[in-house]
């Protein structure tokens, strides 16, 4: 089929694959089913190639991918936001499935429950009634009303009886809270590196790439832990997997430091000092977000 010489939208003479006046592409979307399947497979293959070209520098060259992206080299790589969303979906699905619900015990200590049940829980037959899981936990959170504290106590008791409720709520909220952390982390970078004259969006790109790497590394560590539990009968392999998991975990600070060093191109002393400031501020944000997510998970359960 010959390509039209005029734009189908505004009748402007075409000089390439896109109209220079309205921007519409010169594609005919009315085609056979075979043509649609062929185009879909071609787009999927292209995205797959871009994914592998993105993951390799993301893992082995800290900060390089972000620097290349802000310098204009965007076509070979998956866009940072799309990469983070894809990573986040996969990661939190893995985290939610990896937590063994049977191992979660929210009951109060045995001595406490025996004492509490012995004070006023005896039935008419003289037997001690079994304690209700989680009912002896009391919330006295500051800056919230007594009604919310009572709701937390009641819902925590429900979670103690069925921990899967709390897990589902937590991992339904966690991706949203983590996504909200990204602009805050970029703002921290903007404040700490304000003399570097980077735009806010450039800091956000680095935040997207580092968070994508962190979530991917967490998936690998969780996978190693699951594999370690599956082959616990072997004498040497679980120990080696445990050592590997520890090395991966402690490599995160080094990776982040190298990312800042590569992206902002400052000396080692400045890079280390600013990295420590960034890590301190972000740790506070992360702990606050974790506490908020936990409280909201209990309230919504």
């Amino acid at each position: 089929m010959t390509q039209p010489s005029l734009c189908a939208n505004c009748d402007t003479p075409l000089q390439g694959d896109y109209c220079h006046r309205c921007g519409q592409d010169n594609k005919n979307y009315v085609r056979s089913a075979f043509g649609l399947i062929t185009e879909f497979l071609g787009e999927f293959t292209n995205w797959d190639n871009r994914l592998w070209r993105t993951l390799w520098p993301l893992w082995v060259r800290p900060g390089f991918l972000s620097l290349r992206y802000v310098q204009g080299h965007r076509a070979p790589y998956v866009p940072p936001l799309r990469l983070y969303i894809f990573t986040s979906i996969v990661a939190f699905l893995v985290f939610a499935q990896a937590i063994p619900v049977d191992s979660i015990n929210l009951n109060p200590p045995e001595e406490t429950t025996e004492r509490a049940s012995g004070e006023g829980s005896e039935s008419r037959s003289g037997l001690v009634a079994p304690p209700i899981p989680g009912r002896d936990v009391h919330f006295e959170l500051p800056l919230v009303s007594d009604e919310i504290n009572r709701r937390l106590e009641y819902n925590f008791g429900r979670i103690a009886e069925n921990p899967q409720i709390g897990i589902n709520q937590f991992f339904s909220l966690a991706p949203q809270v983590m996504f909200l952390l990204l602009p805050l982390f970029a703002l921290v970078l903007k404040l700490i590196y304000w003399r570097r004259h980077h735009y806010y969006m450039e800091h956000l790109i680095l935040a997207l790439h580092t968070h994508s790497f962190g979530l991917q590394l967490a998936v690998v560590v969780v996978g190693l832990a699951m594999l370690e539990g599956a082959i616990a009968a072997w004498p040497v392999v679980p120990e080696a997997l445990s050592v590997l998991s520890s090395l991966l975990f402690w490599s995160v600070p080094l990776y982040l430091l190298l990312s800042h060093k590569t992206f902002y191109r400052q000396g080692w002393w400045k890079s280390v000092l600013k990295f420590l400031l960034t890590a301190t501020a972000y740790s506070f944000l992360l702990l606050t977000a974790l506490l908020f997510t936990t409280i909201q998970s209990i309230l919504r359960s």
Side-chain angles (χ1 to χ4, degrees):
M1 179 183 294
T2 60
Q3 294 293 334
S5 58
L6 298 177
C7 174
N9 181 53
C10 63
D11 294 329
T12 300
L14 294 173
Q15 301 178 8
D17 293 332
Y18 294 87
C19 175
H20 64 274
R21 181 178 180 184
C22 69
Q24 178 170 291
D25 57 20
N26 188 27
K27 286 186 179 180
N28 181 14
Y29 289 93
V30 180
R31 64 194 74 180
S32 64
F34 179 77
L36 290 174
I37 294 173
T38 303
E39 181 178 356
F40 171 77
L41 292 177
E43 291 292 335
F44 179 80
T45 303
N46 181 49
W47 196 88
D48 184 64
N49 291 334
R50 292 173 69 192
L51 178 62
W52 291 115
R53 285 198 298 266
T54 302
L55 292 180
W56 177 253
L58 180 69
W59 274 76
V60 302
R61 302 186 68 178
F64 170 81
L65 191 61
S66 302
L67 186 60
R68 291 277 290 178
Y69 199 86
V70 299
Q71 289 175 344
H73 302 277
R74 302 183 180 95
Y77 310 113
V78 177
L81 181 59
R82 188 181 305 175
L83 176 67
Y84 174 79
I85 292 176
F86 174 77
T87 301
S88 178
I89 293 173
V90 174
F92 283 104
L93 285 175
V94 172
F95 299 157
Q97 298 299 320
I99 296 180
V101 180
D102 297 337
S103 66
I104 299 177
N105 183 15
L106 299 178
N107 292 326
E110 185 176 353
E111 295 180 0
T112 304
T113 54
E114 289 178 357
R115 188 184 305 112
S117 59
E119 289 178 355
S121 304
E122 291 189 5
S123 63
R124 294 179 181 178
S125 61
L127 297 177
V128 177
I132 301 176
R135 296 304 188 192
D136 286 348
V137 177
H138 298 285
F139 285 84
E140 296 295 340
L141 298 180
L143 304 180
V144 299
S145 64
D146 292 338
E147 180 183 355
I148 294 179
N149 279 315
R150 301 296 81 79
R151 280 182 57 195
L152 288 170
E153 293 176 7
Y154 177 79
N155 288 359
F156 188 83
R158 295 181 64 242
I159 295 174
E161 296 170 5
N162 184 7
Q164 190 63 53
I165 299 175
I167 292 174
N168 293 340
Q169 286 293 338
F170 183 87
F171 284 106
S172 67
L173 288 172
Q176 305 170 43
V177 176
M178 283 294 297
F179 190 77
L180 293 176
L181 271 181
L182 286 168
L184 294 177
F185 179 59
L187 180 60
V188 170
L189 293 176
K190 176 67 175 177
L191 294 175
I192 292 178
Y193 289 94
W194 65 275
R195 297 185 64 182
R196 300 300 297 172
H197 304 294
H198 286 277
Y199 290 109
Y200 173 80
M201 290 303 299
E202 296 180 65
H203 300 289
L204 186 59
I205 288 171
L206 179 64
L208 287 167
H209 280 145
T210 53
H211 279 72
S212 297
F213 168 78
L215 288 174
Q216 291 174 21
L217 184 65
V219 170
V220 173
V221 172
V222 169
L224 291 176
M226 296 172 64
L227 182 61
E228 181 181 349
I231 57 176
W234 295 14
V236 179
V237 177
E239 184 177 351
L241 292 177
S242 179
V243 172
L244 178 58
S245 298
S246 299
L247 290 176
L248 289 175
F249 177 80
W250 289 109
S251 70
V252 173
L254 178 61
Y255 178 93
L256 297 177
L257 172 61
L258 293 176
S259 295
H260 288 203
K261 177 71 171 61
T262 301
F263 186 78
Y264 295 108
R265 290 174 287 184
Q266 290 188 317
W268 278 107
W269 286 110
K270 285 187 176 181
S271 297
V272 171
L273 177 60
K274 292 184 177 182
F275 168 74
L276 292 176
L277 293 174
T278 305
T280 302
Y282 184 71
S283 297
F284 174 77
L285 291 175
L286 189 61
L287 290 175
T288 304
L290 180 61
L291 179 61
F292 173 80
T293 307
T294 302
I295 294 174
Q296 286 295 317
S297 301
I298 298 174
L299 287 174
R300 297 188 181 192
S301 299

